Amino acid sequence: MAKASASAPATKAKAKVAAKPKSPAEWAYDRLILYIRNFESQLDATHEIAMGFAGDEAGVLRIEGLGFFEPDIVTFYGRDEDGAKTQLIQHFSQLSVTLRAVPKSVSAEEPPRRIGFHLAPGWVGGDSGDASA
């Protein structure tokens, strides 16, 4: 009769390691990705996503990326209307974002830029019909 390995219970115990709880910034980041993906899925081939600064006259940021710094900071980076590199750093509790569809910045032959699929796994693409992500 074979005996059970003495290491089997230890292996199962290691598998039950609790996942680290998400910080408020990571929760905000995850939800923003969902909003961005949904918004991009509704864009046609002539538009890209941008962000308006809610309650501000600062203009529009063509979103190229999104990040967070635990426990409480969310960041957006991209380019403004003049093409200048821009980054918004915001506390999660002050988060107020307006997503906007803006004419794409690349030539008519190139597909529009989509960022939703770059942010986290699971993006299946939009409805632009141009084979872009």
Side-chain angles (χ1 to χ4, degrees):
M1 181 173 179
K3 289 187 175 183
S5 170
S7 64
T11 303
K12 287 182 182 178
K14 287 180 185 177
K16 292 183 181 182
V17 173
K20 181 181 122 197
K22 291 183 181 182
S23 68
E26 188 173 4
W27 277 113
Y29 171 83
D30 288 347
R31 289 181 179 129
L32 283 164
I33 290 171
L34 294 175
Y35 279 107
I36 288 170
R37 287 179 176 166
N38 180 56
F39 191 85
E40 283 188 331
S41 73
Q42 299 171 51
L43 296 179
D44 62 24
T46 64
H47 289 88
E48 298 175 326
I49 193 168
M51 182 182 89
F53 297 104
D56 194 345
E57 300 275 333
V60 174
L61 168 71
R62 285 183 187 272
I63 304 170
E64 295 175 356
L66 173 67
F68 65 93
F69 189 73
E70 292 184 333
D72 53 5
I73 300 296
V74 178
T75 63
F76 298 86
Y77 57 93
R79 305 227 172 241
D80 69 11
E81 293 131 318
D82 297 324
K85 193 172 185 174
T86 306
Q87 182 173 18
L88 171 67
I89 303 165
Q90 196 161 30
H91 190 271
F92 80 95
S93 68
Q94 299 296 311
L95 196 58
S96 181
V97 176
T98 302
L99 298 178
R100 297 182 58 186
V102 295
K104 67 181 186 174
S105 60
V106 295
S107 71
E109 296 82 38
E110 293 186 41
R113 179 179 176 78
R114 299 289 185 247
I115 67 158
F117 73 98
H118 288 293
L119 298 175
W123 176 243
V124 293
D127 295 331
S128 63
D130 63 359
S132 67

